[in-house]
Structure formats: C-alpha cells, structure tokens
Amino acid sequence: MGNFFSSMFDRLWGVNREMRILILGLDGAGKTTILYRLQIGEVVTTKPTIGFNVETLVYKNLKLNVWDLGGQTSIRPYWRCYYSNTAAVIFVVDSTDRDRMPTAAHELHLMLREDELQDAALLVFANKQDQPAALSASEVSRELNLVELKDRSWSIVASSATNGDGISEGLDWLIDVVREEQM
Amino acid sequence: MSTHTYKKFEEADSGILPDKMTIYQDCLNAFNESPVNAKRCRLLISRLLQLLAQGQTFPRTEATALFFAISKLFQHPNDSLRQAVYLAIKELSAVSDDVLMATSSIMKDVQNGSDMIKPNAIRSLTRVLDESTAFSAERLFKSAVVSKHPSISSAALVSSYHLLPVAESTVKRYANETQEAVSDLKTYPYQSGTSEHYPNSTYIAQYHALGLLYLLRKHDKVALMKLVQQFSAGNLLKNQLAQVQLVKLVGSLLQKDPQLVTQFTPLLLSWLSNKYESVQLEDAKLITSLPDRFVSPEIFASAVQTLQGLLTVPRVTTRFAAVRVLNRISMVAPEKIVVCNPELESLINDSNRNVSTYAITSLLKTGTSNNIASLIKTITNFIHEISDDFKIIIIDAVRTMALKFPEEWKSILNFLINVLKQGEGGFEFKNSIVEALFDLVQFVPQSRELAFENLCDFIEDCEYNEILVRILHILGKEGPSMKIPSLYVRHIYNRVVLENSIVRSAAVVALSKFALVKNDPTLVESIEILLRRISNDADDEVRDRATISLEFIESIKSKEGASSSAAEDLLQSKYSYDLVSLESKLSQYMSAKQESFKAPFDSSSVHRYTEDERKAIDLKRKQEQLFSALPSAGKSKRAASSSQDAEKRNGSYAGPASNEVDQDLQSTKFVEELESIEELKSLGPIINTSKEVPLTETEAEFVVSGVKHLFKNHVVLQFHITNTLTDVALDNVSVGCTMEQEDSTALQETSTIPVDRIMPSETFACYVVYEKSEEVVTEGFLNTLYFTTRELDATTHEPFAGDEGFQDEYEIDSLFLTAGDYIKGSFVGNFSACFDELPHSEVAVYNIKENISLQEVVDKLVVNTSCLTLDNTQFAPTDSNSHTLKLFGKSVLNGARVALVVRMIKSSKGIALKGEIRSDDANLCNDVVDGLI
C-alpha cells in the first residue's frame, strides 16, 4: 500500500521517471561538450566520439537519460538504433559551419521523418555563438527550414557550450514541453 | 513478459539449454525497457552467454540487433551489470557487425570506471578496436599497463597480445611502460589486516609483461640479450611463470645462435637449482635439447641429475614432465641417461600409466644389447595390465629397438609373437604388432623364417580382415623366395576354404605368386590345380582373380620372352610407383580439359622404385621417426622456416635427413618446371636431381640456392634467386659460371636462361646448361650473379620510367658437381656380404683439422655421397671417439652398386678418416673417393 502511494507521489513530482533524450548533430558540432556541460557543469576536452556516450542526470527533479551519439558520417546510420522511447531530441548545429548547413538540414529532416520520433520534442542549439563568424539563431533556423515543421513542439536557442550560454535556457524549455506532453 | 517465461528463468540449475529465440526476444525487450531492470538484464545476459558458450550462434542480423540492444545497457551505472555487458560484447564482437559503436562508451569506463570493471572493459575494448581506431586507445592502454592494480595491468597486457596483429605500431609505442610493468611488483590495494580473505598477488603481471615484451622484440637479438640480463639479475621475477618464460626466452636466443651457450652457462646452472620445479624442468629441457657440441658434458650431466631428482617428487605432473624429457633424450643419446635407470625402473609401477609408459619406453631405448632380454621379460609381465593405447606405444618402442639391435631379433620376435597370439587386444593393437613384425621381416632377413611360420599360425585364428589381408600379402610377396615355399601354400589355401570373400581374394593373389617359383615344377602345377578349383568360387571377385592369374601363368609357360615377362610383372611386380608423384600426375590428368582423355594416361613419366629402392626409402623414413618424436628446437623450427634455411642452421643436429615425401614432391615439381621451359625440353628426361644447396647467407640481399639436374648428355644448374630488398627490382638476372678446371673439355656451356625481372620478395629461377659426356663428370663452378638494379617508385611499385639502372654483380658460393650426384641411396639386406662381393675397390685417407664432431662428419659424408646409411650407423656415438659408417647406393647412370665403409677417429688433432669404397664400376669408385669430403 505504501508502495502505491509513493509511486503516486513520484508520478506527481516526476521523480524516478526516466526520460530519454538524444543529442544528435554533425561531427564537431559540440554534442559531447554539451552533454558534459549538463552533467558536471564543466568543459571537458573531447575526442571524436566513436559510438556514443550516455549519462544519467537529474534536472529539476527529472531523471534524464541523455544519449550523445557520434556525428561522423560513418556513425550517423546507427542513430536510428537508439530512437525508440525517446522523449526529446536535442539537435546541435555548428553555427560557424555555413558550408555544411544543408547537410545538417538534410540529416535533421531525415531523422524527424522516423516513426519512432513522431512524438519527440525538438530543441535545436545554434552552438558556438562565442565564435565571431557564427550565424544567429534565426539565420540557422532559416538554413534548417525549421518553419516547415508541423505537429511538433520545437524551439531554437543560441548557445555556447564552452561558456555555458543558452544551455540551461534551452533545457528549461525542453523540460517544460516534455512535462506538459507526458502528464 | 509473462510469469511463465520468468519462471523458466529461475530454473537456472536445470542444465537444460534455454530456447534460443525466447532468449533473443526477451533480451531485446528487456534491454530496450526504460528504466532498465539491472538484475533481470544480468540474468538474461548470463543465459545468452551460456547459449554462446555451448556453441550456439546467431545469424549476423540478429547478433547485431542483440549488440545494439546490449549497448543500451550502458545507461545503467550498476557495476555487475556492466561486467556482464562486457562479457557479452566480447562474445558478440565475433558474430556481430558494427561493434565499433561501443568504442567511446568502453573507453570512458577504461578511463573513469571502477577498478572492478576496468579489466573487463579493457578486454572488450580490444575486440571492438580496429587499425584506424586503435591509436586513440593508446593512452588508455599505456596508463592501464602502469596501473598499480595487478588485474588492470594484466588485462591491458594480455589484451595487447590480441591487439598486436591488429595494430602493431600502437602496441610498440608503449613498450617502455611494458618493460616497467615487468619490474614493478604490483599488489592488490587491500588493507593488510583483511588480506587473508583476498588473494595475495601472484605477480602474474610480470609474466604477461615479459611475454608481450618478447613478442615486441623477438627479432632483435641485442634487445633480447639485454632483457635476459636485466631480469635474471637478483630476485626481480617473483612469478614462477615469468621465470619459466625467461628460460624459454634464453632458449629461443640459443636456438638462433648456439654460440651464446658459454655466456649463459652460469644462468642455466643456477636455474637448475631454482626453487620452482617448473623452472628446473624448463631449464633441463632447454639444456638437453641444445646441439651437442655447444653443451659441456658437465652441464648436461647436472641437467640429467636435476631430472633424476624430479622423478621422485610427489607431484605427478612434474614426474610426467621429467620422464617425458628423459624419454626424448633417450631417443638420441640413451647412454647419457643410464644413471636414471633405477628411478625409471621404479616408475614402471607408477600409478599413473602415462608416467609408467614413458618410463618403459625410455628404458627400452637405454637398453643395450646385453639387457634387452631382461627388459623384454619385464614388459611381458607388465603389458597385460595396461590399456591398448599404452600397449601400442610400447610396441612402437620395441619396434624401433628391433631396428636398432637387429642381432637381438630372436627375443624381440618371441615377445611380439607372444603378445600377438594372446587373445586380448583390439584391432589397432594387433595391427601395430603386425606392423612391427613386418619391419623385422623386411630389415632383418634372418628372422623371416620364424616370423612367417608364426604369422601362418596366427592367421588360422584371426578375427580382423584387414590384418589377415596384410599378412596374406606379405606371405605372397616374400613366400616364393623362401627356402620351402610349399610350406606357406597350405596355410594360404586354408584361408580360401574357410574365410569370407575379402580374405579369399587376397589369398588368391598371394597363391598365384607362388607359381613363379622357378625350381619346383610340381609346386607350380599344384598352384594351377588350386587356382582352377577356386575359379568355381561363389564370389565374382575371387573367381575373376583366379581366372586372370591362371591366364598369366599360362602365358608364362607357353611363351618365353617379352610377353611372358610382362605377365610375370603383373603377377609379382618388381616396381612400385612413387605414390606422391603418381597422385599429382593423375589429378593433373583428371583436371585437364576433356581432350586430354583422348590420349591414355602415360605412366612412364612417373618415377618407379625397385624393391631395393623402396626398402631404402622405408628404412630412411623409419630411422627418421626416431627424430620426429623429438619436439626439439631443430625440428619445430624446420617446419616453421623454409627447410633449406633450417637445414643450414641445424644441419649438424638434425642430421642430413630431410623428409622424403617433401623430397619426392620437390623433384616432381622440378620436373614440371623444367618441362615447361622450351630450351630444356630437348634434353630428355631428368636422370637425377640433387638437393637444394644454399649459396648465400640467408640474411643476404639476394638469397640464392642451387640445384643440379642430370640429364643423359647434359647438366643443368638451376639457381633460385630471391630478392629480399624492399625498394629495388632486379632486371636481366643471370648467373655466370666458370669451371674450376678451365681447360676441361668434359663440359661445354651451351646456353643460359636469364630472368627478366625479379620484384621485391619474389623468387625466380635462372638456368645454365652444360653439355657433358655420358660418363661421370665432376666439376666445381665459380658463380657470379649478374643483374641490373632498378629503383622502385614507392607509390606505384613500378621502376621509375627514366631510370636506366645500375649494372651490378654479386659473388655467390661455388656449386660442386660431385660423384654423389650420380648416386642414389639404396638398401641391401646383408651389407657385409654385398661389400665383399663387389669387384673394384679403392681406399682413401683424410685428415680433418677443423674442430667438428663425428656426427657432423657423418652428416657431411651422407650428403656428399647421397648414399643410404645402413646397419644403424647414421648416429655417431657421443661417448666414444671412433665410429664406423656404412653407406650403400647405386649409380643413376648404369645401376652400378657402391658400398662404403668409413672408419673415423677423433683425436685432439682433428678427425682421421679412412674410407674403403667398393663398386661394380671402377670409374665410379675413383670418383667417389675423390669427392668424399
């Protein structure tokens, strides 16, 4: 009986619920840096991810299971192996890399077409805003054709993983949306 | 999931394999759940591992799906689950695609995980790495190797063994850390108070590190020497396996360069009294397998003494290992282990039959002609108590003894017949006895009568068809030439009356051979009557054989001359084909295109052996079996590296004998090679081909070896040239030969066939052809290699377009055409009688000043004369300063016999040789004398 109540409360407060979040994006966009910025609040030196990193973190009473999948061309095909049960996708874009914006847009739309991700919320980080040549969030939004997205909660936030700007704003939005949708 | 399947899981001890597909589905479901149920997943993985361990496999797609599902468990921080995950990844890496997806996650654990999972993580990391990703793991391996935790260090070191073939350069980069790991004594990081509950460190990482270091430096002699020096000093190596490894390392150094023995002597001696039995054993094994002349008798004796001591220790494995080493020594130098005889004798009754069998076979080898009889008696009492497998080993030992002491044939024969007639024992056992008897009959002619008599008795009551057929065959083969052939006819005919059709047909063939007996017309008549009777047999095969035999006998009787000799040949063939080359010719014929079937198969190109030649080959092979039981350095190396290369290094030890089958194959290969060359086709068939002789060091830039082919009127010198350079091609390669006797007219150079181009690490042959008279011509050839070097473009591996190249020449060793090239080894049953009856004789005396052993002289003589050693004289005794070598052969030109008796005495001044040569052919006699040494 006690068990029943505690799980009721858990449901109410959202503790002990795990939520799967994927961090995707092209190679070198800053996905791993964002993951560890979220987990330990520091900038770590990273190597290109061969495969994936997964960390569990508690954010605002919510247990998040964050998967950072490698962005190299050879690894992108395996993203789909990790789509199931995903509550939200964080798509990270290198705002300075104008040349590959079309590639990023292509990968993003390809991913969003997958059945398993139809209910997932989308947060786009226009990353590396600390660099001088970075495109603004609205420019990135245009490059990625985000306005075309229908039936999906999405948002784009300008961010810098190295100095932490925009990261928590983005995540706050994401948590709110997910909480609303799932409860 | 339903409770039903869950229940099934709980019956973990039932021992029944879980259903593969159920496990597969459950795994996929459970691993994709969120949140993960760690306990259940661990259980599922263990079931999965159980399946894989039992040899079950999954198709690639399913294995890959499993792998991805398992990779999702990385989200759970439970250490025990993580260990299970690593085990599963390690297993699945072999059957699943895309395992590299786990790389980053594993690396993170290797870096930051707990000590408990780090070793597992390292082990599975090696499985997912490939050449391109290995370098990113270098730092991880480096720090794991130097880790203070023995398990982590060991895991990294052992994993590096597996990484070596994948990414050698990466492993090489932490060689220094590996070296550090050898000397670093790592202990488990527990408090001293609780240590009784935890294992004390065995310092096993030392062993692992030493092994890896050896792999990294095995080609660098100086580095290895330094290693030994460094780690043998003091009490650095605590781990016993590491110490054994060091002994082996010294062993591999000595194998390459036996000269180093003196340098290592103190070390070898100190290991003999090491506190670990395994180190003592390994050391004794090493000492006793070194080439004789490099080991002082004192060291050898103390090694034997150590082994002797180990024979009486309580530990069975040690006893076994010691007796095994002794057994090996007993094959080549039985006199050296005679001191151990008392211990060996007490081991005969050892409760472990492996030990007792080895003890007995060793005793058989150490036996001298004096005590053989008593030994045989011991065995007779003993042999009934052991299983067939051991009996066979003992029979084999008796068999080799029979070849070694032909004069003891009587007691050996009696023993064999006794065990043969005693009812018990399976087919293999009986067959090995019969085999031993056949050997005895073949090589000890005196024993034939008694042996055949008993074999006849035996077949009256033998349950094995195969053995019956074999005995009937040998009776048919040898019976007609015995004193009273009719004796055997009755026994053989009895089989026709009493046995089944298989035995009957064998008996018919055997019977028909008796019709060839020359001086007993009544016997021939009786055979005919018997065969006529048999031709009404109920079985087709038996009838057919009887009829055709009768037909042959008819034709022999009616017509004297050619056709009758053909019929005679079909009844009792004097030749047998060289089976190896016959097989290759036939398969070539079969695989050729349809049109080749229009012409019948031509058997004349297959080499045929006469009875004597066949026996010579058999005897040689049997003598070599003494060696093949030797797992010595020499032999195993021989198999590994190219035979000629090994022969050069170990020639003195393993003897000049080389595998006869290889030899056959090789000569067939040469024939094919030569036939494919237009210029050489006209020379006719090859009469004889010599062994391949190395003409350069094996380390030289161009490795050359030479082969001499004799034709009726020509000699062809074939040079195999290997280009060992990596960036240079050789163009227009030819060999220029100058004769030592320049004014000689016996040989005329007619043509040379050069090679157009030899690319790096390729081998090609070029030829020089001489015309010669039909007699025996001996000559020495001074050889020079001529070629043009062209540097290669590293990217295209083609010579640079504009490069003209350098003309260059390179002197190689001389090649000698000697009398030995005109002789083929042959067998004769009674050497001394044959020696006395040969008409021409020559005597030569030589004095050898070099310091070489008698065995080396023997080997050299055998090579130079290409004769077969007889009467067991191919081994020079190690305990005596004199030896008599008996050699026999036949000329390949005219079949003239050659017999040699060479007496040699070793003194402080060198070795004195006196060779007496007798032959049918006076010229050959002269030539052999000249070319003896």
Side-chain angles (χ1 to χ4, degrees), chain B residues 266 281 480 632 738:
Chain B
L281 269 172
S632 79
T738 334

Side-chain angles (χ1 to χ4, degrees), chain B residues 201-221:
Chain B
S201 182
T202 53
Y203 307 115
I204 191 75
Q206 290 193 319
Y207 168 57
H208 296 146
L210 194 59
L212 183 60
L213 267 189
Y214 173 67
L215 283 183
L216 290 174
R217 307 204 168 147
K218 62 181 171 194
H219 299 301
D220 185 350
K221 188 176 134 189

Side-chain angles (χ1 to χ4, degrees), chain B residues 40 114 126 347 400 460 570 598 603 626 686 737 800 933:
Chain B
R40 189 170 134 60
S114 75
T126 344
L347 283 183
T400 39
E460 295 288 339
L570 283 168
K598 283 172 191 158
S603 66
L626 290 174
I686 295 183
C737 302
F800 290 105
I933 280 287

Side-chain angles (χ1 to χ4, degrees), chain A residues 50-52 55 65 78 81-82, chain B residues 71-72 75 98 104-105 108:
Chain A
I50 311 164
F52 60 88
E55 297 296 344
N65 231 318
Y78 303 118
C81 299
Y82 298 90
Chain B
S71 78
K72 289 180 183 165
Q75 61 182 296
D98 313 319
S104 271
S105 315
K108 208 191 95 202

